[in-house]
Amino acid sequence: MNTQIFDTPEVQDFLRLASGLDQAGGNPRTKAIIHRILSDLFKTIEDLDITSDEYWAGVAYLNQLGARGEAGLLSPGLGLDRYFDMRMDAEDAALGVANGTPRTIEGPLYVAGAPVEQGFARLDDGSDANGHTLIMHGTVHGADGRPLPGATVEVWHANTKGFYSHFDPTGEQKPFNMRRTIVTDAQGRYRFQSIVPVGYGCPPDGPTQALLNQLGRHGNRPAHIHFFVSAQGHRKLTTQINIDGDPLVYDDFAYATREGLVPPLVERSDADSIQRNGLSAPFAEIAFDITLSALVDGVDNQIVERARLAA
Ligand code: MBD
Ligand code: FE
């Protein structure tokens, strides 16, 4: 039987009561958001005739999600992070703001406080036995197209098991392995040596993967490298590049792949390239230039504040 009570004055009054709308204290914005979400949830329960058992399974699920620290992982998995990017893109389009390099989601695994290096950094500590050397480099350009000396390029990525330092369940990685902040040189260039990362997979026994299983979806990302790029007079860019050729480049559970963010990866095995990079074995090379967008009316109108680990 599908009980229909949502639209009664009794339920509508109850929603306002539960959301504190009849109280003088509290935060009006919180009240408005809770009133809307609670109303949508009540309506969903009625429309889909959600059972008590289903509801309490959901409550238990939220507790598991928090206990495992996976709320920030389910979020991109359900496309919410991508949705916020779509909204920022649309906001820019409406304002006539041009973006050079496309934004894409931050993800949950950034750590503040990485070592700062000038122009060049070695990201890996050489301990990943399966590591294939990667040389990545490019120029950071301003909104006017000119190179930007002194821009900061924060970069972070996974190892060959798809694990990030500070979040590695094996405990193998030292703090800030494969995390650096590189300051661009006088020509606006950044350059780093690291190893080619491998794609991330959600913890197979975790609540995010459990829900994805219910949706018939996988929980894997293609290999990728994250960036925050900041410079005077410009908006902070949050983006990633994918490793070209990864079979999941266009099948990312977190929906972060975008046109313009899959630069070619070139294998270099000639003696000259190896020597010029101070290496002793073949390596992969990625060239990737970055163009920032200008401040809007003198401010970064899209800066994102969120809880982030700092070490
Ligand atoms: C990641 O490495 C990541 O970038 C995202 C978005 C989600 C999970 C793991
Ligand atoms: Fe990532």
Side-chain angles (χ1 to χ4, degrees), residues 100-119:
T101 304
R103 64 168 55 89
T104 198
I105 71 171
E106 173 179 335
L109 304 176
Y110 171 81
V111 181
V116 180
E117 315 266 9
Q118 302 297 318

PDB file of all heavy atoms in Angstrom, residues 100-119:
ATOM      1  N   GLY A 100      41.553  28.663 -19.580  1.00  0.00           N
ATOM      2  CA  GLY A 100      42.527  28.055 -20.467  1.00  0.00           C
ATOM      3  C   GLY A 100      42.502  26.560 -20.262  1.00  0.00           C
ATOM      4  O   GLY A 100      41.785  25.821 -20.936  1.00  0.00           O
ATOM      5  N   THR A 101      43.276  26.102 -19.292  1.00  0.00           N
ATOM      6  CA  THR A 101      43.285  24.689 -18.950  1.00  0.00           C
ATOM      7  C   THR A 101      42.004  24.359 -18.189  1.00  0.00           C
ATOM      8  O   THR A 101      41.671  25.050 -17.218  1.00  0.00           O
ATOM      9  CB  THR A 101      44.513  24.379 -18.076  1.00  0.00           C
ATOM     10  OG1 THR A 101      45.684  24.805 -18.782  1.00  0.00           O
ATOM     11  CG2 THR A 101      44.611  22.896 -17.769  1.00  0.00           C
ATOM     12  N   PRO A 102      41.278  23.318 -18.601  1.00  0.00           N
ATOM     13  CA  PRO A 102      40.031  23.002 -17.902  1.00  0.00           C
ATOM     14  C   PRO A 102      40.274  22.580 -16.453  1.00  0.00           C
ATOM     15  O   PRO A 102      41.285  21.953 -16.143  1.00  0.00           O
ATOM     16  CB  PRO A 102      39.454  21.818 -18.689  1.00  0.00           C
ATOM     17  CG  PRO A 102      40.253  21.696 -19.928  1.00  0.00           C
ATOM     18  CD  PRO A 102      41.556  22.402 -19.716  1.00  0.00           C
ATOM     19  N   ARG A 103      39.341  22.941 -15.610  1.00  0.00           N
ATOM     20  CA  ARG A 103      39.367  22.439 -14.229  1.00  0.00           C
ATOM     21  C   ARG A 103      38.888  20.994 -14.231  1.00  0.00           C
ATOM     22  O   ARG A 103      38.138  20.576 -15.101  1.00  0.00           O
ATOM     23  CB  ARG A 103      38.422  23.259 -13.353  1.00  0.00           C
ATOM     24  CG  ARG A 103      36.943  23.127 -13.765  1.00  0.00           C
ATOM     25  CD  ARG A 103      36.013  23.693 -12.715  1.00  0.00           C
ATOM     26  NE  ARG A 103      36.330  25.062 -12.385  1.00  0.00           N
ATOM     27  CZ  ARG A 103      35.832  26.123 -13.015  1.00  0.00           C
ATOM     28  NH1 ARG A 103      34.970  25.964 -13.992  1.00  0.00           N
ATOM     29  NH2 ARG A 103      36.183  27.343 -12.671  1.00  0.00           N
ATOM     30  N   THR A 104      39.320  20.249 -13.242  1.00  0.00           N
ATOM     31  CA  THR A 104      38.618  19.016 -12.908  1.00  0.00           C
ATOM     32  C   THR A 104      38.817  18.727 -11.433  1.00  0.00           C
ATOM     33  O   THR A 104      39.646  19.351 -10.774  1.00  0.00           O
ATOM     34  CB  THR A 104      39.007  17.837 -13.826  1.00  0.00           C
ATOM     35  OG1 THR A 104      38.001  16.820 -13.714  1.00  0.00           O
ATOM     36  CG2 THR A 104      40.360  17.248 -13.485  1.00  0.00           C
ATOM     37  N   ILE A 105      38.067  17.796 -10.916  1.00  0.00           N
ATOM     38  CA  ILE A 105      37.886  17.615  -9.475  1.00  0.00           C
ATOM     39  C   ILE A 105      39.179  17.432  -8.688  1.00  0.00           C
ATOM     40  O   ILE A 105      40.159  16.877  -9.194  1.00  0.00           O
ATOM     41  CB  ILE A 105      36.950  16.434  -9.194  1.00  0.00           C
ATOM     42  CG1 ILE A 105      37.617  15.086  -9.528  1.00  0.00           C
ATOM     43  CG2 ILE A 105      35.663  16.561  -9.998  1.00  0.00           C
ATOM     44  CD1 ILE A 105      36.803  13.890  -9.064  1.00  0.00           C
ATOM     45  N   GLU A 106      39.159  17.862  -7.437  1.00  0.00           N
ATOM     46  CA  GLU A 106      40.312  17.731  -6.540  1.00  0.00           C
ATOM     47  C   GLU A 106      40.493  16.303  -6.040  1.00  0.00           C
ATOM     48  O   GLU A 106      41.635  15.829  -5.908  1.00  0.00           O
ATOM     49  CB  GLU A 106      40.128  18.677  -5.344  1.00  0.00           C
ATOM     50  CG  GLU A 106      41.170  18.508  -4.244  1.00  0.00           C
ATOM     51  CD  GLU A 106      40.967  19.494  -3.094  1.00  0.00           C
ATOM     52  OE1 GLU A 106      40.373  20.578  -3.318  1.00  0.00           O
ATOM     53  OE2 GLU A 106      41.396  19.177  -1.970  1.00  0.00           O
ATOM     54  N   GLY A 107      39.389  15.637  -5.729  1.00  0.00           N
ATOM     55  CA  GLY A 107      39.489  14.328  -5.093  1.00  0.00           C
ATOM     56  C   GLY A 107      39.806  14.467  -3.617  1.00  0.00           C
ATOM     57  O   GLY A 107      40.073  15.571  -3.118  1.00  0.00           O
ATOM     58  N   PRO A 108      39.807  13.360  -2.883  1.00  0.00           N
ATOM     59  CA  PRO A 108      39.918  13.410  -1.422  1.00  0.00           C
ATOM     60  C   PRO A 108      41.327  13.247  -0.866  1.00  0.00           C
ATOM     61  O   PRO A 108      41.488  13.149   0.345  1.00  0.00           O
ATOM     62  CB  PRO A 108      39.040  12.232  -0.988  1.00  0.00           C
ATOM     63  CG  PRO A 108      39.182  11.224  -2.091  1.00  0.00           C
ATOM     64  CD  PRO A 108      39.386  12.012  -3.360  1.00  0.00           C
ATOM     65  N   LEU A 109      42.375  13.237  -1.714  1.00  0.00           N
ATOM     66  CA  LEU A 109      43.669  12.750  -1.233  1.00  0.00           C
ATOM     67  C   LEU A 109      44.805  13.774  -1.258  1.00  0.00           C
ATOM     68  O   LEU A 109      45.976  13.420  -1.142  1.00  0.00           O
ATOM     69  CB  LEU A 109      44.065  11.483  -2.019  1.00  0.00           C
ATOM     70  CG  LEU A 109      43.012  10.361  -1.966  1.00  0.00           C
ATOM     71  CD1 LEU A 109      43.426   9.181  -2.839  1.00  0.00           C
ATOM     72  CD2 LEU A 109      42.785   9.893  -0.535  1.00  0.00           C
ATOM     73  N   TYR A 110      44.461  15.052  -1.359  1.00  0.00           N
ATOM     74  CA  TYR A 110      45.476  16.114  -1.251  1.00  0.00           C
ATOM     75  C   TYR A 110      45.956  16.226   0.194  1.00  0.00           C
ATOM     76  O   TYR A 110      45.173  16.058   1.129  1.00  0.00           O
ATOM     77  CB  TYR A 110      44.869  17.455  -1.701  1.00  0.00           C
ATOM     78  CG  TYR A 110      45.755  18.641  -1.432  1.00  0.00           C
ATOM     79  CD1 TYR A 110      46.801  18.962  -2.284  1.00  0.00           C
ATOM     80  CD2 TYR A 110      45.543  19.449  -0.315  1.00  0.00           C
ATOM     81  CE1 TYR A 110      47.619  20.061  -2.032  1.00  0.00           C
ATOM     82  CE2 TYR A 110      46.355  20.551  -0.055  1.00  0.00           C
ATOM     83  CZ  TYR A 110      47.388  20.844  -0.912  1.00  0.00           C
ATOM     84  OH  TYR A 110      48.185  21.924  -0.655  1.00  0.00           O
ATOM     85  N   VAL A 111      47.230  16.536   0.370  1.00  0.00           N
ATOM     86  CA  VAL A 111      47.780  16.836   1.697  1.00  0.00           C
ATOM     87  C   VAL A 111      48.572  18.137   1.609  1.00  0.00           C
ATOM     88  O   VAL A 111      49.485  18.252   0.775  1.00  0.00           O
ATOM     89  CB  VAL A 111      48.700  15.704   2.217  1.00  0.00           C
ATOM     90  CG1 VAL A 111      49.223  16.045   3.623  1.00  0.00           C
ATOM     91  CG2 VAL A 111      47.965  14.367   2.252  1.00  0.00           C
ATOM     92  N   ALA A 112      48.227  19.108   2.439  1.00  0.00           N
ATOM     93  CA  ALA A 112      48.951  20.385   2.465  1.00  0.00           C
ATOM     94  C   ALA A 112      50.299  20.221   3.149  1.00  0.00           C
ATOM     95  O   ALA A 112      50.463  19.369   4.024  1.00  0.00           O
ATOM     96  CB  ALA A 112      48.113  21.442   3.190  1.00  0.00           C
ATOM     97  N   GLY A 113      51.261  21.025   2.738  1.00  0.00           N
ATOM     98  CA  GLY A 113      52.547  21.056   3.429  1.00  0.00           C
ATOM     99  C   GLY A 113      53.665  20.323   2.713  1.00  0.00           C
ATOM    100  O   GLY A 113      54.712  20.052   3.316  1.00  0.00           O
ATOM    101  N   ALA A 114      53.483  20.003   1.446  1.00  0.00           N
ATOM    102  CA  ALA A 114      54.531  19.292   0.703  1.00  0.00           C
ATOM    103  C   ALA A 114      55.777  20.166   0.561  1.00  0.00           C
ATOM    104  O   ALA A 114      55.684  21.400   0.551  1.00  0.00           O
ATOM    105  CB  ALA A 114      54.013  18.896  -0.684  1.00  0.00           C
ATOM    106  N   PRO A 115      56.958  19.554   0.434  1.00  0.00           N
ATOM    107  CA  PRO A 115      58.188  20.329   0.234  1.00  0.00           C
ATOM    108  C   PRO A 115      58.087  21.220  -1.011  1.00  0.00           C
ATOM    109  O   PRO A 115      57.506  20.825  -2.015  1.00  0.00           O
ATOM    110  CB  PRO A 115      59.263  19.254   0.025  1.00  0.00           C
ATOM    111  CG  PRO A 115      58.710  18.023   0.664  1.00  0.00           C
ATOM    112  CD  PRO A 115      57.222  18.108   0.512  1.00  0.00           C
ATOM    113  N   VAL A 116      58.667  22.418  -0.894  1.00  0.00           N
ATOM    114  CA  VAL A 116      58.641  23.399  -1.981  1.00  0.00           C
ATOM    115  C   VAL A 116      59.988  23.381  -2.703  1.00  0.00           C
ATOM    116  O   VAL A 116      61.040  23.429  -2.061  1.00  0.00           O
ATOM    117  CB  VAL A 116      58.352  24.813  -1.427  1.00  0.00           C
ATOM    118  CG1 VAL A 116      58.315  25.844  -2.551  1.00  0.00           C
ATOM    119  CG2 VAL A 116      57.047  24.821  -0.631  1.00  0.00           C
ATOM    120  N   GLU A 117      59.960  23.312  -4.020  1.00  0.00           N
ATOM    121  CA  GLU A 117      61.204  23.294  -4.810  1.00  0.00           C
ATOM    122  C   GLU A 117      61.109  24.345  -5.911  1.00  0.00           C
ATOM    123  O   GLU A 117      60.023  24.695  -6.357  1.00  0.00           O
ATOM    124  CB  GLU A 117      61.398  21.928  -5.482  1.00  0.00           C
ATOM    125  CG  GLU A 117      61.130  20.739  -4.587  1.00  0.00           C
ATOM    126  CD  GLU A 117      62.376  20.198  -3.910  1.00  0.00           C
ATOM    127  OE1 GLU A 117      63.434  20.856  -4.011  1.00  0.00           O
ATOM    128  OE2 GLU A 117      62.271  19.137  -3.287  1.00  0.00           O
ATOM    129  N   GLN A 118      62.266  24.831  -6.347  1.00  0.00           N
ATOM    130  CA  GLN A 118      62.321  25.860  -7.393  1.00  0.00           C
ATOM    131  C   GLN A 118      62.533  25.221  -8.768  1.00  0.00           C
ATOM    132  O   GLN A 118      63.564  24.588  -8.993  1.00  0.00           O
ATOM    133  CB  GLN A 118      63.470  26.837  -7.118  1.00  0.00           C
ATOM    134  CG  GLN A 118      63.390  27.544  -5.766  1.00  0.00           C
ATOM    135  CD  GLN A 118      62.164  28.428  -5.624  1.00  0.00           C
ATOM    136  OE1 GLN A 118      61.794  29.133  -6.563  1.00  0.00           O
ATOM    137  NE2 GLN A 118      61.536  28.392  -4.455  1.00  0.00           N
ATOM    138  N   GLY A 119      61.551  25.369  -9.642  1.00  0.00           N
ATOM    139  CA  GLY A 119      61.722  24.965 -11.039  1.00  0.00           C
ATOM    140  C   GLY A 119      61.628  23.482 -11.307  1.00  0.00           C
ATOM    141  O   GLY A 119      60.942  23.056 -12.237  1.00  0.00           O
TER     142      GLY A 119
END
